Amino acid sequence: MKLFYSPVSPYVRKCLVAAHELGLAERIERLPEAARPLNRLTQNPLGKVPTLLADDGTVLYDSRVIVEYLNALAGGALIPIGGPERFAVLVEHALADGILDAAILVRYETAVRPEPLRWNDWTAGQMEKIHRGLADLESRSTTLGERVDVATITFGCALDYLDFRFAAIGWRDKHPRTAEWFARFSERPSMVATRPHA
Ligand SMILES: N[C@@H](CCC(=O)N[C@@H](CS)C(=O)NCC(=O)O)C(=O)O
């Protein structure tokens, strides 16, 4: 398999952490791609990473679909098959993705958009989503325990992304239980092997 990837993309990292957890990491060749709005990645009309080329030539995106694919390929248990646990994990996955979506939009707004076109209220609104998302995560954090699934993987990638790009918000101060969980989770070999570097 080939993965169009950026070493700093948290969505790419989600897929790579999943691949490590599923024992598939060695089967994925990484093809570096500069991921920024206005880029052209011809294999994906949305121009985004991660995009996976499966061995049979199938093109898969986005990260949610790629994790689902890898999990099915390995016969893994990263996504519960049914029952209330399935929807609990899917909602948590959406929460983690939503924190990331807001963070990435703020990153583009502040690092890519030309200064005269920036809109501070809009940026503040995205930051509010991050803070409300973190508060929701804190209220759930005692249920995370030693779970390794698509939700906990994405929470781990989102929190590390906040440390990487938004260290100034100091999220640990208001979210001690999440911080405690993250300290353990981020030492997993899959997380260590995929740490972001600029
Ligand atoms: N929902 C997508 C989001 C992927 C995404 O936004 N990737 C960023 C890099 S972190 C990207 O490729 N941005 C380029 C663009 O927005 O055109 C996923 O889960 O894979």
Side-chain angles (χ1 to χ4, degrees):
M1 293 174 273
K2 295 179 175 25
L3 182 71
F4 290 99
Y5 111 119
S6 148
V8 295
S9 165
Y11 306 97
V12 168
R13 188 178 185 202
K14 181 206 302 187
C15 299
L16 291 175
V17 172
H20 276 275
E21 294 289 350
L22 294 164
L24 293 174
E26 300 303 316
R27 288 181 51 187
I28 298 179
E29 183 188 342
R30 300 173 193 191
L31 305 177
E33 185 68 33
R36 295 212 143 184
L38 311 183
N39 263 8
R40 300 280 179 273
L41 171 61
T42 50
Q43 289 78 0
N44 175 347
L46 305 177
K48 297 189 183 191
V49 295
T51 296
L52 184 80
L53 297 186
D55 288 339
D56 66 0
T58 307
V59 178
L60 295 149
Y61 55 85
D62 59 6
S63 65
R64 291 166 286 207
V65 177
I66 295 170
V67 171
E68 181 100 36
Y69 177 77
L70 296 176
N71 190 56
L73 196 63
L78 296 183
I79 306 163
I81 294 166
E85 322 80 86
R86 173 172 170 80
F87 293 98
V89 167
L90 292 183
V91 168
E92 287 177 348
H93 184 193
L95 172 64
D97 263 358
I99 293 172
L100 272 180
D101 292 345
I104 291 286
L105 288 175
V106 172
R107 172 76 188 156
Y108 289 152
E109 181 74 7
T110 53
V112 181
R113 193 186 292 277
E115 183 119 35
L117 301 179
R118 290 181 195 163
W119 181 10
N120 291 341
D121 287 351
W122 182 89
T123 302
Q126 298 301 329
M127 290 306 300
E128 184 64 32
K129 290 178 200 288
I130 295 173
H131 289 298
R132 286 205 308 263
L134 287 171
D136 196 276
L137 169 55
E138 179 74 1
S139 74
R140 299 164 184 266
S141 54
T142 51
T143 68
L144 302 181
E146 303 305 315
R147 276 172 43 198
V148 180
D149 55 41
V150 70
T152 56
I153 288 172
T154 311
F155 282 137
C157 294
L159 293 168
D160 231 0
Y161 186 74
L162 294 179
D163 280 346
F164 180 56
R165 294 292 196 203
F166 296 84
I169 71 172
W171 62 266
R172 286 173 181 77
D173 298 344
K174 284 194 183 149
H175 309 295
R177 290 193 301 270
T178 304
E180 198 183 306
W181 170 79
F182 178 65
R184 283 198 315 279
F185 193 82
S186 60
E187 289 310 317
R188 294 189 68 77
S190 60
M191 291 291 286
V192 173
T194 56
R195 282 219 168 107
H197 53 89

